C-alpha cells in the first residue's frame, strides 16, 4: 500500500495535468457530497412543514408538534 501511495504521489508531483485532473476530481466529489447533504436537510425541513408527510425509509418519522 505504501508503494502504491508513493507511486501515486510521484506521478502527481511530476505531471501537472494529472495533478490538475486529480484536484478537479476531488473538488467535484466534495461539492457533490455537500450538495447531497444540503438537499437532504432541505427535504427534511420541507417534510417538517407538511401536516402528514408520506412514510419513507430515508426520512425518519418525527412526532407531530402538539
Amino acid at each position: 500500500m505504501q508503494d502504491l501511495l508513493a507511486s501515486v504521489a510521484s506521478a502527481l508531483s511530476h505531471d501537472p495535468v494529472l495533478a490538475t485532473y486529480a484536484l478537479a476530481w476531488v473538488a467535484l466529489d466534495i461539492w457533490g457530497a455537500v450538495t447531497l447533504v444540503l438537499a437532504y436537510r432541505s427535504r427534511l425541513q420541507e417534510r417538517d412543514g407538511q401536516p402528514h408527510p408520506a412514510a419513507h425509509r430515508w426520512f425518519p418519522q418525527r412526532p407531530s408538534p402538539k
Side-chain angles (χ1 to χ4, degrees), residues 30-64:
I30 292 170
W31 177 80
V34 168
T35 302
L36 184 65
V37 167
L38 290 175
Y40 183 76
R41 290 186 66 204
S42 174
R43 183 66 179 131
L44 283 177
Q45 289 176 349
E46 181 181 327
R47 286 177 61 87
D48 283 345
Q50 295 174 348
H52 301 288
H56 194 282
R57 64 182 177 163
W58 289 354
F59 298 102
Q61 293 288 22
R62 295 188 178 177
S64 59

